[in-house]
Structures are given as C-alpha cells and as structure tokens.
Amino acid sequence: MKSSDLGGTFTLPNTSVTLHRMGYGAMQLAGQDGDKRVWGPPRDVPGAIAVLRETVAAGVNHIDTSDFYGPHVTNQLIRQALHPYSGDLVIVTKVGARRGPDGSWLHARSRQEIIGAVHDNLRNLGLDALHVVNLRLGGFSAPEDEPFEEPLTALAELKQQGLIQHLGLSTVSAQQLAQAQTITDIVCIQNLYNVAQRTDDEFIDALAASGIAYVPYFPLGGFSPLQSSALNQVAASLDATPMQVALAWLLQRSPNILLIPGTSSLHHLRENLSAAALELPDEALARLNRIGAVAA
C-alpha cells in the first residue's frame, strides 16, 4: 500500500479545472420504490447526507450526479449536504434522459427538453452555472449510431450564455466524439468500461493523447462468473475487496481515467476511496489483463 492521494490529479483539457482522480457517483443515494430503482428518497436521508459530507471531507472534489436520479433526489441531497459549495468542488451532471411514471428511463433530447433539464439541475443543485454537463446518448451500456446535433447544439448555446462551464459526452464512440468536436469543446467522456469490458481500450489511449478525461461507469458490470472468480482470487491474494481491485486497476490503466464509484454506505465509501492507495503488483495486473483478453 502507498499513501493515498485519491489517485493523483487530472486537469480537464484547456481549463483550470484540476480534479482528484478518485471521485464519487451519487446515483445510489436515491431510493427504490418496488421495481422502480433510483427512485424517490433514500430510506436513510441523514445517512445519505453523511456519505456526501464525508466524501468531500476525504478530499474528493468531483461528484457525478443527474437530475433524473430520483428524479431530482440526488441533486437535492447534494444541495442539502454541501451547499454552499467549496470553491474546488466540481459537480458533474448529465442530461438527455427523463424518467417515466413507471420508473423507466426515456430519451429526452429535444432542444426544449435539454434546456428544461439544465434549468432543473441549476435549481435543484443551487448553482448559477453548471460545472460540467454530460450529454447522455447511446443505450444502456453501448453507443448507438444516432443524431445528436440538436441536443449538443442546445448545450453549446447554454454554455455561451454562461449557464454551463464545460461539456462532456456519455456512451459515445470515437466517431461521435469527432463529430461533437465540430460543434463544441468536449472535456470528458463517460462510457462503460472495466477490467472485463474492454471495448474502449483504443478509445481511452486516443483520449489520453488528446488530454481528454475518460470516466468509466459500472466498474463491476458485465462480468461472467469465470471473470468474477478470477477477480475474486486476485482480491483475496491482496487482502482487498473485488471493488478495490477493480478500481485500482482502472487507476493504473491510464492517467486520464477518473473514477466515480457510488455507494450509500459510509463503510463502502471508505473502502472505495482506499482503493487509490492499492498498488497492484505486476503478477496481479497480468492476471487481471487476461480477464479482458478472454472477454475480447
């Protein structure tokens, strides 16, 4: 183990925004209502507030959220727990979806839906300008070939108006990024990626060369039983949890990777943050890389 510095820092391209690489994802703070997940308030509101406050007290300076978590719940909790915000805290939100009455996740990418979503985020977070807004495209886990000029242009106009500082994209391909960059500057990409799901390997390397941040979601998503078993074995050999190993692998994968593990538990928050201090030895890295090689 090395002394934890939250994975070092990364500065978003062409900005003065420097982030600790270990961040926090707020999605799991929302509650559940039957089959409706990420819906309604949490059962333990004081507990959720305690998690947010300890996150920031531990040095984390970027939080991932969205007004369609809850809906509205996670943003309202962030405001209740942390407002007025410290000067270095960067709140990254996303637009492009809405929730149906049945808890479904629906596209919301028209110009007016984008404008409305930005103002919802501003109001519920208590901000005059959103720090970073990601346009959520694609399906649940993979990019789709789809038009996005209308929503991205709307966001670029809101940025020009001073309501947004920086823009990113979520669940997109390298080709879509290139197209987006003809409309506006992009500072980060948020896609599905982990030790078992390695589709974006070349994309990550290209983004690193361009200085653009890559933020993987679902660090333990999409593992087969055999892949999970291999991860568990590596974790046991290091006296760590599988999540800690998965996060440490991502930090060591590329210097432009920023992490946003989420939890509603103080115990798991502390475990996740301590993954930044886990140095994976060469043998462990080789075993983990074989998981991705088999998956490919």
Side-chain angles (χ1 to χ4, degrees):
M1 302 286 280
K2 62 182 180 182
S3 60
S4 177
D5 57 1
L6 297 178
T9 60
F10 183 86
T11 300
L12 297 181
N14 302 312
T15 78
S16 60
V17 179
T18 298
L19 305 175
H20 294 294
R21 293 178 64 205
M22 181 69 78
Y24 173 76
M27 184 176 74
Q28 292 187 36
L29 293 181
Q32 180 174 343
D33 181 7
D35 292 334
K36 300 178 185 179
R37 296 183 179 275
V38 196
W39 188 271
R43 285 179 292 182
D44 180 8
V45 171
I49 290 172
V51 167
L52 285 164
R53 289 178 175 166
E54 178 154 333
T55 296
V56 172
V60 169
N61 70 342
H62 68 108
I63 295 176
D64 179 85
T65 185
S66 175
D67 215 53
F68 54 74
Y69 294 160
H72 315 304
V73 168
T74 61
N75 282 355
Q76 292 168 352
L77 286 169
I78 289 169
R79 181 174 184 173
Q80 183 178 352
L82 302 176
H83 195 277
Y85 305 114
S86 62
D88 69 337
L89 180 63
V90 174
I91 299 176
V92 182
T93 190
K94 63 186 70 65
V95 297
R98 62 181 175 86
R99 304 301 296 278
D102 60 351
S104 55
W105 303 75
L106 306 172
H107 290 174
R109 299 177 187 161
S110 71
R111 176 181 174 82
Q112 282 309 121
E113 286 173 317
I114 292 296
I115 293 172
V118 166
H119 283 280
D120 284 345
N121 277 278
L122 286 167
R123 181 179 60 256
N124 285 309
L125 287 168
L127 288 169
D128 295 324
L130 298 174
H131 304 138
V132 182
V133 176
N134 287 321
L135 174 60
R136 178 69 161 87
L137 298 171
F140 181 70
S141 61
E144 297 176 351
D145 186 12
E146 57 188 327
F148 58 85
E149 292 86 351
E150 179 181 355
L152 187 58
T153 299
L155 287 171
E157 291 172 358
L158 292 168
K159 179 184 172 187
Q160 289 179 334
Q161 295 169 22
L163 296 178
I164 298 170
Q165 295 175 359
H166 308 289
L167 291 171
L169 298 170
S170 178
T171 319
V172 296
S173 65
Q175 292 76 16
Q176 288 171 317
L177 169 62
Q179 183 181 354
Q181 288 173 315
T182 67
I183 299 173
T184 188
D185 291 334
I186 300 297
V187 301
C188 58
I189 298 294
Q190 188 178 107
N191 277 9
L192 171 65
Y193 181 81
N194 57 44
V195 69
Q197 304 295 322
R198 303 282 296 277
T199 305
D200 273 359
D201 268 337
E202 292 184 6
F203 194 17
I204 289 170
D205 294 339
L207 291 170
S210 299
I212 295 175
Y214 184 92
V215 187
Y217 59 80
F218 297 152
L220 288 180
F223 279 67
S224 72
L226 281 177
Q227 292 165 341
S228 293
S229 177
L231 177 64
N232 292 343
Q233 290 170 13
V234 172
S237 72
L238 299 174
D239 194 24
T241 70
M243 176 63 98
Q244 288 173 322
V245 171
L247 294 173
W249 182 85
L250 287 166
L251 286 173
Q252 290 182 231
R253 167 63 181 82
S254 182
N256 67 321
I257 288 182
L258 310 180
L259 302 185
I260 50 169
T263 179
S264 60
S265 157
L266 282 171
H267 173 70
H268 288 147
L269 171 68
R270 293 162 186 160
E271 283 189 344
N272 291 343
L273 296 182
S274 69
L278 180 61
E279 188 74 40
L280 299 175
D282 290 343
E283 181 182 353
L285 281 172
R287 292 179 66 187
L288 294 169
N289 287 335
R290 285 196 292 271
I291 294 175
V294 170

